[in-house]
Amino acid sequence: MFNPRGVAIIGASRKPGKIGHEILKNIIEYGYKGEIYPINPKADEILGKKVYKSILEVPGTVDLAIIVIPAKFVAEVLEECGKKGVKAVAVISSGFGEVGRHDMEEEIVEISKKYGMRLLGPNIFGLFYAPTQLNATFGPKDILQGNIAFITQSGALGIALMGWTILENIGLSAIVSVGNKADIDDDDLLEYFSKDEKTKIILIYMEGVKNGPRFIKIAKEVTKNKPIIVLKAGRSKRGAMAAASHTGSLAGSDTIYSAAFKQTGILRAMNVAEAFDWARAIAELPPPEGENTIIITNGGGVGVMATDACEDYNVKLMNLPEDLAQEFRKYMPPFGSVKNPIDLTGQASEKEFAGALKTALKDDRIHAVILLYCQTAITDPNSLADAIINVIKENGKTKPLVISMVGGKECAEAMKKLNLKGLPAYPIPERAVSSLGAYMKWARYIGKI
Ligand code: COA
């Protein structure tokens, strides 16, 4: 499914704006290198590609078929896919279990099983896989490549988040829309991504799982080497009812889900921003080697807020030994503080920040750093971003460093620069602390710290 030699798009439409047309266009334009076979009985050529009347007419190998025709015709083309020797099918079409047509859903699973094919969906927006440059979705074209595999049960939310990750400069290794999960479920994908070199962290938007015991068994194994973040929706009674009519999922008791996540070391995020904040930090940073954390700041207020957040997210601030405190004193005026938060004060320039950061990175007694900046006229955010990037270039990314820059549009631009260099930066300190807290929690679960 992720490394196909050839892809067929059954229902590739001639008309721009129709789903079957846009998926074909994305596959071509994102640069997939394998063979592309549009299938449509009414067309000869679409987007410069030769069109086949049926998949059975395709001369080459088809490992993956994307099916984009009305639900009532899907069973018939699945039989043809089976005969062609297709390995995996992604059924975009809606109109199955989610509208009560469980019989139709069972039928397509049976046909797939008969031919040894795996089925993704139905009721999905497709899949994206960075290593093979395969964007078989009708979402945005310019997905940023990175190390986060994103599995989503919600289609529209998934597509929206694709656009959002581009805006937020978050890189993805894969996106898989699982929809009704008639065959391929989260646990199958967890197994795949746990071995996928490009993927460092797996993020799941989930409304329900089909096979609880199998999910727990696999998740327990996977979290030992890769963190999993789950955004589980349908927590409330009405939310669970909404999930049932959305993807036909049984949202189940939230207490049971919470317990299962806890036992398996899954990090549960409560909203989209939190989920991606954590994923960004974990994807980009090395895991912590210990609990000792310091805050470096030029603002007392943000330092205090971050200290409170450390308590909330179980991030442990260390007391600095005297020799280390002396080192940090070099980068602050006499009225600065080395009590952790290390307050360089409002007059700190990028040079003081760089000096303090270098000290923190070099000393093995410090395991993680939170760097906070309040925009002042003394230090321009862009120069600070450059200084941080240089320090990391010289010293390496040896320990987790989360950054928060509070201020105006110059801060937003500086944070974009940092994020694009793989240095997680957030507009408020709490988001930086919460991301580090999530990483610490996972490291504790696997016994690393
Ligand atoms: N084999 C190949 N092509 C076929 C075909 C077949 N058996 N039957 C029809 N086609 C062609 C059609 O001729 C059409 O091409 P054209 O536009 O060039 O004429 C194309 O396939 C699409 O068929 P059409 O009947 O026009 O369907 P549609 O585009 O209106 O709708 C779906 C198809 C799958 C998009 C629609 O049924 C659906 O399920 N929409 C919801 C999808 C969705 O939201 N999924 C979840 C996202 S989160």
PDB file of all heavy atoms in Angstrom, residues 386-412:
ATOM      1  N   ASP A 386      18.568  33.116  14.961  1.00  0.00           N
ATOM      2  CA  ASP A 386      19.838  32.774  14.310  1.00  0.00           C
ATOM      3  C   ASP A 386      20.875  32.320  15.340  1.00  0.00           C
ATOM      4  O   ASP A 386      21.618  31.363  15.111  1.00  0.00           O
ATOM      5  CB  ASP A 386      20.397  33.990  13.547  1.00  0.00           C
ATOM      6  CG  ASP A 386      19.622  34.234  12.266  1.00  0.00           C
ATOM      7  OD1 ASP A 386      18.944  33.296  11.798  1.00  0.00           O
ATOM      8  OD2 ASP A 386      19.674  35.372  11.748  1.00  0.00           O
ATOM      9  N   ALA A 387      20.915  33.028  16.479  1.00  0.00           N
ATOM     10  CA  ALA A 387      21.889  32.672  17.520  1.00  0.00           C
ATOM     11  C   ALA A 387      21.609  31.259  18.050  1.00  0.00           C
ATOM     12  O   ALA A 387      22.544  30.466  18.235  1.00  0.00           O
ATOM     13  CB  ALA A 387      21.820  33.691  18.662  1.00  0.00           C
ATOM     14  N   ILE A 388      20.329  30.931  18.262  1.00  0.00           N
ATOM     15  CA  ILE A 388      19.982  29.586  18.767  1.00  0.00           C
ATOM     16  C   ILE A 388      20.383  28.535  17.730  1.00  0.00           C
ATOM     17  O   ILE A 388      20.987  27.507  18.059  1.00  0.00           O
ATOM     18  CB  ILE A 388      18.462  29.490  19.076  1.00  0.00           C
ATOM     19  CG1 ILE A 388      18.085  30.453  20.209  1.00  0.00           C
ATOM     20  CG2 ILE A 388      18.069  28.064  19.444  1.00  0.00           C
ATOM     21  CD1 ILE A 388      16.584  30.616  20.443  1.00  0.00           C
ATOM     22  N   ILE A 389      20.059  28.816  16.484  1.00  0.00           N
ATOM     23  CA  ILE A 389      20.391  27.860  15.407  1.00  0.00           C
ATOM     24  C   ILE A 389      21.906  27.630  15.363  1.00  0.00           C
ATOM     25  O   ILE A 389      22.375  26.490  15.234  1.00  0.00           O
ATOM     26  CB  ILE A 389      19.840  28.368  14.045  1.00  0.00           C
ATOM     27  CG1 ILE A 389      18.311  28.303  14.055  1.00  0.00           C
ATOM     28  CG2 ILE A 389      20.413  27.565  12.867  1.00  0.00           C
ATOM     29  CD1 ILE A 389      17.610  29.068  12.956  1.00  0.00           C
ATOM     30  N   ASN A 390      22.680  28.700  15.519  1.00  0.00           N
ATOM     31  CA  ASN A 390      24.141  28.560  15.508  1.00  0.00           C
ATOM     32  C   ASN A 390      24.660  27.740  16.669  1.00  0.00           C
ATOM     33  O   ASN A 390      25.555  26.909  16.501  1.00  0.00           O
ATOM     34  CB  ASN A 390      24.811  29.942  15.544  1.00  0.00           C
ATOM     35  CG  ASN A 390      24.865  30.516  14.144  1.00  0.00           C
ATOM     36  OD1 ASN A 390      24.852  29.768  13.168  1.00  0.00           O
ATOM     37  ND2 ASN A 390      24.894  31.835  14.042  1.00  0.00           N
ATOM     38  N   VAL A 391      24.108  27.993  17.852  1.00  0.00           N
ATOM     39  CA  VAL A 391      24.548  27.220  19.030  1.00  0.00           C
ATOM     40  C   VAL A 391      24.283  25.729  18.794  1.00  0.00           C
ATOM     41  O   VAL A 391      25.127  24.872  19.085  1.00  0.00           O
ATOM     42  CB  VAL A 391      23.832  27.710  20.317  1.00  0.00           C
ATOM     43  CG1 VAL A 391      24.129  26.778  21.488  1.00  0.00           C
ATOM     44  CG2 VAL A 391      24.244  29.133  20.653  1.00  0.00           C
ATOM     45  N   ILE A 392      23.123  25.426  18.236  1.00  0.00           N
ATOM     46  CA  ILE A 392      22.785  24.011  17.993  1.00  0.00           C
ATOM     47  C   ILE A 392      23.703  23.432  16.912  1.00  0.00           C
ATOM     48  O   ILE A 392      24.137  22.287  16.998  1.00  0.00           O
ATOM     49  CB  ILE A 392      21.286  23.866  17.604  1.00  0.00           C
ATOM     50  CG1 ILE A 392      20.401  24.322  18.768  1.00  0.00           C
ATOM     51  CG2 ILE A 392      20.947  22.444  17.185  1.00  0.00           C
ATOM     52  CD1 ILE A 392      20.540  23.518  20.053  1.00  0.00           C
ATOM     53  N   LYS A 393      23.995  24.249  15.921  1.00  0.00           N
ATOM     54  CA  LYS A 393      24.899  23.785  14.850  1.00  0.00           C
ATOM     55  C   LYS A 393      26.265  23.409  15.432  1.00  0.00           C
ATOM     56  O   LYS A 393      26.836  22.385  15.108  1.00  0.00           O
ATOM     57  CB  LYS A 393      25.059  24.921  13.829  1.00  0.00           C
ATOM     58  CG  LYS A 393      25.089  24.414  12.381  1.00  0.00           C
ATOM     59  CD  LYS A 393      25.397  25.539  11.441  1.00  0.00           C
ATOM     60  CE  LYS A 393      24.214  25.921  10.584  1.00  0.00           C
ATOM     61  NZ  LYS A 393      24.398  27.194   9.901  1.00  0.00           N
ATOM     62  N   GLU A 394      26.755  24.242  16.335  1.00  0.00           N
ATOM     63  CA  GLU A 394      28.081  24.003  16.916  1.00  0.00           C
ATOM     64  C   GLU A 394      28.083  22.870  17.945  1.00  0.00           C
ATOM     65  O   GLU A 394      29.043  22.120  18.038  1.00  0.00           O
ATOM     66  CB  GLU A 394      28.587  25.274  17.618  1.00  0.00           C
ATOM     67  CG  GLU A 394      29.113  26.310  16.646  1.00  0.00           C
ATOM     68  CD  GLU A 394      29.262  27.669  17.311  1.00  0.00           C
ATOM     69  OE1 GLU A 394      29.335  27.728  18.556  1.00  0.00           O
ATOM     70  OE2 GLU A 394      29.290  28.675  16.564  1.00  0.00           O
ATOM     71  N   ASN A 395      27.012  22.786  18.721  1.00  0.00           N
ATOM     72  CA  ASN A 395      27.012  21.846  19.852  1.00  0.00           C
ATOM     73  C   ASN A 395      26.219  20.572  19.609  1.00  0.00           C
ATOM     74  O   ASN A 395      26.301  19.636  20.391  1.00  0.00           O
ATOM     75  CB  ASN A 395      26.463  22.531  21.109  1.00  0.00           C
ATOM     76  CG  ASN A 395      27.378  23.645  21.557  1.00  0.00           C
ATOM     77  OD1 ASN A 395      28.275  23.436  22.350  1.00  0.00           O
ATOM     78  ND2 ASN A 395      27.185  24.831  20.994  1.00  0.00           N
ATOM     79  N   GLY A 396      25.422  20.555  18.545  1.00  0.00           N
ATOM     80  CA  GLY A 396      24.584  19.388  18.254  1.00  0.00           C
ATOM     81  C   GLY A 396      23.297  19.430  19.062  1.00  0.00           C
ATOM     82  O   GLY A 396      23.200  20.134  20.067  1.00  0.00           O
ATOM     83  N   LYS A 397      22.324  18.635  18.572  1.00  0.00           N
ATOM     84  CA  LYS A 397      21.040  18.564  19.281  1.00  0.00           C
ATOM     85  C   LYS A 397      21.170  17.423  20.282  1.00  0.00           C
ATOM     86  O   LYS A 397      20.726  16.303  20.037  1.00  0.00           O
ATOM     87  CB  LYS A 397      19.956  18.257  18.260  1.00  0.00           C
ATOM     88  CG  LYS A 397      18.772  19.191  18.304  1.00  0.00           C
ATOM     89  CD  LYS A 397      17.640  18.610  17.488  1.00  0.00           C
ATOM     90  CE  LYS A 397      17.281  19.461  16.306  1.00  0.00           C
ATOM     91  NZ  LYS A 397      16.207  18.855  15.501  1.00  0.00           N
ATOM     92  N   THR A 398      21.825  17.690  21.403  1.00  0.00           N
ATOM     93  CA  THR A 398      22.166  16.604  22.312  1.00  0.00           C
ATOM     94  C   THR A 398      21.104  16.353  23.384  1.00  0.00           C
ATOM     95  O   THR A 398      21.110  15.321  24.027  1.00  0.00           O
ATOM     96  CB  THR A 398      23.486  16.926  23.028  1.00  0.00           C
ATOM     97  OG1 THR A 398      23.368  18.253  23.567  1.00  0.00           O
ATOM     98  CG2 THR A 398      24.662  16.890  22.073  1.00  0.00           C
ATOM     99  N   LYS A 399      20.242  17.323  23.611  1.00  0.00           N
ATOM    100  CA  LYS A 399      19.204  17.144  24.630  1.00  0.00           C
ATOM    101  C   LYS A 399      17.963  17.913  24.201  1.00  0.00           C
ATOM    102  O   LYS A 399      18.050  18.810  23.350  1.00  0.00           O
ATOM    103  CB  LYS A 399      19.696  17.584  26.009  1.00  0.00           C
ATOM    104  CG  LYS A 399      20.303  18.969  26.069  1.00  0.00           C
ATOM    105  CD  LYS A 399      20.932  19.257  27.439  1.00  0.00           C
ATOM    106  CE  LYS A 399      22.313  18.677  27.597  1.00  0.00           C
ATOM    107  NZ  LYS A 399      23.087  19.185  28.727  1.00  0.00           N
ATOM    108  N   PRO A 400      16.802  17.587  24.766  1.00  0.00           N
ATOM    109  CA  PRO A 400      15.589  18.302  24.354  1.00  0.00           C
ATOM    110  C   PRO A 400      15.676  19.795  24.675  1.00  0.00           C
ATOM    111  O   PRO A 400      16.080  20.177  25.781  1.00  0.00           O
ATOM    112  CB  PRO A 400      14.471  17.645  25.166  1.00  0.00           C
ATOM    113  CG  PRO A 400      15.027  16.387  25.696  1.00  0.00           C
ATOM    114  CD  PRO A 400      16.516  16.540  25.758  1.00  0.00           C
ATOM    115  N   LEU A 401      15.330  20.598  23.678  1.00  0.00           N
ATOM    116  CA  LEU A 401      15.268  22.052  23.846  1.00  0.00           C
ATOM    117  C   LEU A 401      13.939  22.514  23.273  1.00  0.00           C
ATOM    118  O   LEU A 401      13.681  22.330  22.080  1.00  0.00           O
ATOM    119  CB  LEU A 401      16.424  22.718  23.080  1.00  0.00           C
ATOM    120  CG  LEU A 401      16.275  24.231  22.808  1.00  0.00           C
ATOM    121  CD1 LEU A 401      16.346  25.036  24.101  1.00  0.00           C
ATOM    122  CD2 LEU A 401      17.357  24.719  21.831  1.00  0.00           C
ATOM    123  N   VAL A 402      13.080  23.061  24.125  1.00  0.00           N
ATOM    124  CA  VAL A 402      11.823  23.637  23.624  1.00  0.00           C
ATOM    125  C   VAL A 402      11.880  25.140  23.841  1.00  0.00           C
ATOM    126  O   VAL A 402      12.446  25.624  24.828  1.00  0.00           O
ATOM    127  CB  VAL A 402      10.573  23.021  24.298  1.00  0.00           C
ATOM    128  CG1 VAL A 402      10.322  21.610  23.820  1.00  0.00           C
ATOM    129  CG2 VAL A 402      10.669  23.060  25.816  1.00  0.00           C
ATOM    130  N   ILE A 403      11.306  25.858  22.879  1.00  0.00           N
ATOM    131  CA  ILE A 403      11.444  27.315  22.870  1.00  0.00           C
ATOM    132  C   ILE A 403      10.064  27.949  22.862  1.00  0.00           C
ATOM    133  O   ILE A 403       9.126  27.417  22.255  1.00  0.00           O
ATOM    134  CB  ILE A 403      12.216  27.739  21.589  1.00  0.00           C
ATOM    135  CG1 ILE A 403      13.597  27.068  21.569  1.00  0.00           C
ATOM    136  CG2 ILE A 403      12.341  29.256  21.470  1.00  0.00           C
ATOM    137  CD1 ILE A 403      14.238  26.998  20.196  1.00  0.00           C
ATOM    138  N   SER A 404       9.939  29.096  23.512  1.00  0.00           N
ATOM    139  CA  SER A 404       8.708  29.878  23.352  1.00  0.00           C
ATOM    140  C   SER A 404       9.087  31.332  23.161  1.00  0.00           C
ATOM    141  O   SER A 404       9.914  31.883  23.898  1.00  0.00           O
ATOM    142  CB  SER A 404       7.813  29.730  24.586  1.00  0.00           C
ATOM    143  OG  SER A 404       6.699  30.582  24.447  1.00  0.00           O
ATOM    144  N   MET A 405       8.515  31.948  22.133  1.00  0.00           N
ATOM    145  CA  MET A 405       8.760  33.368  21.874  1.00  0.00           C
ATOM    146  C   MET A 405       7.423  34.092  21.957  1.00  0.00           C
ATOM    147  O   MET A 405       6.523  33.823  21.158  1.00  0.00           O
ATOM    148  CB  MET A 405       9.359  33.548  20.486  1.00  0.00           C
ATOM    149  CG  MET A 405      10.767  32.996  20.377  1.00  0.00           C
ATOM    150  SD  MET A 405      11.421  33.356  18.739  1.00  0.00           S
ATOM    151  CE  MET A 405      13.087  33.773  19.143  1.00  0.00           C
ATOM    152  N   VAL A 406       7.310  34.972  22.917  1.00  0.00           N
ATOM    153  CA  VAL A 406       6.044  35.681  23.121  1.00  0.00           C
ATOM    154  C   VAL A 406       6.189  37.088  22.553  1.00  0.00           C
ATOM    155  O   VAL A 406       7.087  37.833  22.964  1.00  0.00           O
ATOM    156  CB  VAL A 406       5.703  35.758  24.631  1.00  0.00           C
ATOM    157  CG1 VAL A 406       4.339  36.402  24.846  1.00  0.00           C
ATOM    158  CG2 VAL A 406       5.748  34.370  25.267  1.00  0.00           C
ATOM    159  N   GLY A 407       5.343  37.437  21.615  1.00  0.00           N
ATOM    160  CA  GLY A 407       5.431  38.779  21.031  1.00  0.00           C
ATOM    161  C   GLY A 407       4.642  38.882  19.739  1.00  0.00           C
ATOM    162  O   GLY A 407       3.704  38.116  19.526  1.00  0.00           O
ATOM    163  N   GLY A 408       5.060  39.794  18.890  1.00  0.00           N
ATOM    164  CA  GLY A 408       4.308  40.087  17.667  1.00  0.00           C
ATOM    165  C   GLY A 408       4.736  39.275  16.470  1.00  0.00           C
ATOM    166  O   GLY A 408       5.272  38.179  16.602  1.00  0.00           O
ATOM    167  N   LYS A 409       4.503  39.899  15.289  1.00  0.00           N
ATOM    168  CA  LYS A 409       4.688  39.108  14.067  1.00  0.00           C
ATOM    169  C   LYS A 409       6.162  38.735  13.820  1.00  0.00           C
ATOM    170  O   LYS A 409       6.453  37.712  13.217  1.00  0.00           O
ATOM    171  CB  LYS A 409       4.047  39.813  12.874  1.00  0.00           C
ATOM    172  CG  LYS A 409       4.864  40.849  12.132  1.00  0.00           C
ATOM    173  CD  LYS A 409       4.056  41.250  10.885  1.00  0.00           C
ATOM    174  CE  LYS A 409       4.813  42.112   9.903  1.00  0.00           C
ATOM    175  NZ  LYS A 409       5.585  43.234  10.436  1.00  0.00           N
ATOM    176  N   GLU A 410       7.092  39.546  14.358  1.00  0.00           N
ATOM    177  CA  GLU A 410       8.515  39.201  14.221  1.00  0.00           C
ATOM    178  C   GLU A 410       8.806  37.889  14.956  1.00  0.00           C
ATOM    179  O   GLU A 410       9.627  37.090  14.525  1.00  0.00           O
ATOM    180  CB  GLU A 410       9.422  40.311  14.786  1.00  0.00           C
ATOM    181  CG  GLU A 410       9.347  41.648  14.068  1.00  0.00           C
ATOM    182  CD  GLU A 410       8.156  42.502  14.517  1.00  0.00           C
ATOM    183  OE1 GLU A 410       7.445  42.059  15.443  1.00  0.00           O
ATOM    184  OE2 GLU A 410       7.946  43.570  13.934  1.00  0.00           O
ATOM    185  N   CYS A 411       8.115  37.700  16.079  1.00  0.00           N
ATOM    186  CA  CYS A 411       8.284  36.448  16.827  1.00  0.00           C
ATOM    187  C   CYS A 411       7.749  35.273  16.009  1.00  0.00           C
ATOM    188  O   CYS A 411       8.370  34.205  15.962  1.00  0.00           O
ATOM    189  CB  CYS A 411       7.535  36.502  18.162  1.00  0.00           C
ATOM    190  SG  CYS A 411       8.468  37.314  19.448  1.00  0.00           S
ATOM    191  N   ALA A 412       6.598  35.491  15.378  1.00  0.00           N
ATOM    192  CA  ALA A 412       6.002  34.414  14.568  1.00  0.00           C
ATOM    193  C   ALA A 412       6.972  34.022  13.457  1.00  0.00           C
ATOM    194  O   ALA A 412       7.166  32.829  13.176  1.00  0.00           O
ATOM    195  CB  ALA A 412       4.662  34.864  13.999  1.00  0.00           C
TER     196      ALA A 412
END
